[in-house]
Amino acid sequence: MSPEAGCVLVADIGGTNARFALADLRAATPLDQASIDEYPVTQFASLADAAAHYLQERGASAHSGVFAVAGRVDGDEARITNHPWVISNSRTRAQLGFNELHLINDFVAQAMCIALLGNDDVVQVGGASWQPAGSDQPRNYCVLGPGTGLGVGGLVVRDGRNYPLATEGGHASFAPASPEQIRILEILSAQFGRVSNERLVCGPGLVNIHRALSEMAGTDPGLLQPSGVTAAAAEGDPVAVRAVEVFLEIFGAVAGDAVLVQGAWDGVFLTGGLVPRLLQQLQHSGFRQRFESKGRFSATMSQIPSMAIVHPNPGLLGAAAYALDMQRASLGATA
């Protein structure tokens, strides 16, 4: 793929791995799946070094890039939350010889990927169905992703343009919905003070729920990782099974609240590292019941689609979607 073919270098940069791919903005499916490579971030001194290595290994060239990073983007600079890289847009652009470089938050990319999702990229959760819409149809979506933390974002589609909303909705306050959840809140409040949704709906949040339920049962689970809780649940451990159930119930309630807050009447998309691993449980859990249980808005909520993203690289897909949207904006400005 050459620059003349509309080649853009896209990246999804986390605290552990850096994923790169090429996107052809003239293709019907812009992200080139065959071009995806992944490297440990510790292998390189900087993001520019990693990107240059990828291009050299691929024998490819590009004049622009969209890099999604798991951290806050502040003006020219981005910091990876769980890695010491500090990324300067202008310096990285100069080192790579790019004409243009966009640094975007990883949940901006997760939101943007909705614009390129097809039916095979999602699994329906609940009774409400979803179909990809034309770019000329106005749409309001939200996206939630439990992983190391809880990411929350949105996508507003208007007049052929996609406007991603970067939020910190994962840090909204947790609202318990049962005596059991009230007791969990009391236990977590004693440890953390204020309890946000992220204290429960993420990998460490699953551990927090399991530990609270163990305390309520008068047992000590010891030190567990999220994978340990899900493994114990798969083996039928009753406390671990209930921890996963409570996790998914709270996830549903939080997703429903996000729809109400953002006015995301066209659907909510579920992403993040835990969603594919818990997909079967998600489809047979209390997620939808808690999602829809919104008092006078329950009937409305029952019509809102909730879709689990199963595309293997939604961050890269979203970076490609962002590049495509920037190109359309540029062409519109010069028309």
Side-chain angles (χ1 to χ4, degrees):
M1 195 182 295
S2 66
E4 289 74 24
C7 178
V8 176
L9 179 63
V10 294
D12 183 14
I13 312 299
T16 304
N17 295 308
R19 297 178 183 89
F20 293 95
L22 300 172
D24 184 348
L25 303 189
R26 301 194 304 184
T29 54
L31 180 64
D32 180 2
Q33 293 282 347
S35 72
I36 296 173
D37 281 327
E38 180 178 302
Y39 310 101
V41 292
T42 53
Q43 188 176 329
F44 303 96
S46 70
L47 175 54
D49 289 341
H53 176 81
Y54 169 84
L55 290 171
Q56 183 177 20
E57 273 205 331
R58 282 276 166 182
S61 60
H63 290 322
S64 64
V66 176
F67 296 168
V69 298
R72 184 166 180 260
V73 179
D74 184 11
D76 184 70
E77 188 175 277
R79 293 175 180 268
I80 306 297
T81 302
N82 295 306
H83 185 71
W85 278 355
V86 177
I87 304 162
S88 162
N89 187 319
S90 56
R91 190 160 55 246
T92 302
R93 184 177 69 246
Q95 287 175 295
L96 293 173
F98 282 0
N99 296 328
E100 192 173 14
L101 175 64
H102 297 276
L103 293 179
I104 61 175
N105 175 264
D106 58 340
F107 256 77
V108 168
Q110 293 288 345
M112 285 296 295
C113 89
I114 297 170
L116 294 181
L117 290 175
N119 287 317
D120 292 340
D121 299 318
V122 295
V123 172
Q124 183 174 321
V125 179
S129 61
W130 170 81
Q131 290 293 326
S135 61
D136 59 334
Q137 296 177 264
R139 289 289 186 267
N140 285 32
Y141 299 116
C142 67
V143 58
L144 291 90
T148 305
L150 175 61
V152 180
L155 185 70
V156 176
V157 182
R158 295 290 187 275
D159 301 321
R161 292 292 312 281
N162 297 292
Y163 301 94
L165 306 176
T167 85
E168 291 296 341
H171 295 282
S173 298
F174 168 55
S178 69
E180 179 185 52
Q181 291 183 17
I182 290 172
R183 181 62 187 134
I184 291 172
L185 174 60
E186 290 172 344
I187 292 170
L188 296 185
S189 292
Q191 180 179 358
F192 299 112
R194 177 181 180 269
V195 178
S196 67
N197 289 324
E198 187 173 78
R199 294 294 190 188
L200 298 104
V201 187
C202 65
L206 177 60
V207 174
N208 289 337
I209 292 170
H210 183 262
R211 188 172 300 282
L213 291 174
S214 297
E215 181 176 327
M216 292 160 64
T219 61
D220 182 359
L223 295 175
L224 283 181
Q225 295 297 317
S227 58
V229 178
T230 55
E235 294 170 1
D237 177 83
V239 176
V241 168
R242 184 59 188 149
V244 172
E245 291 172 347
V246 171
F247 174 91
L248 294 173
E249 290 169 5
I250 296 172
F251 187 17
V254 172
D257 287 344
V259 168
L260 293 173
V261 169
Q262 294 187 22
W265 308 121
D266 298 298
V268 59
F269 289 80
L270 313 175
T271 187
L274 286 176
V275 169
R277 298 175 207 169
L278 295 175
L279 184 57
Q280 185 175 1
Q281 296 98 312
L282 180 64
Q283 291 177 292
H284 300 91
S285 71
F287 176 93
R288 263 313 283 204
Q289 190 273 329
R290 297 306 308 159
F291 177 86
E292 295 177 16
S293 183
K294 299 300 178 187
R296 288 169 288 178
F297 269 79
S298 293
T300 300
M301 296 300 294
S302 70
Q303 304 301 311
I304 308 297
S306 54
M307 312 298 293
I309 297 176
V310 294
H311 188 283
N313 291 287
L316 290 174
L317 186 68
Y322 191 95
L324 187 62
D325 206 69
M326 290 297 99
Q327 182 192 68
R328 289 171 177 165
S330 177
L331 292 175
T334 58

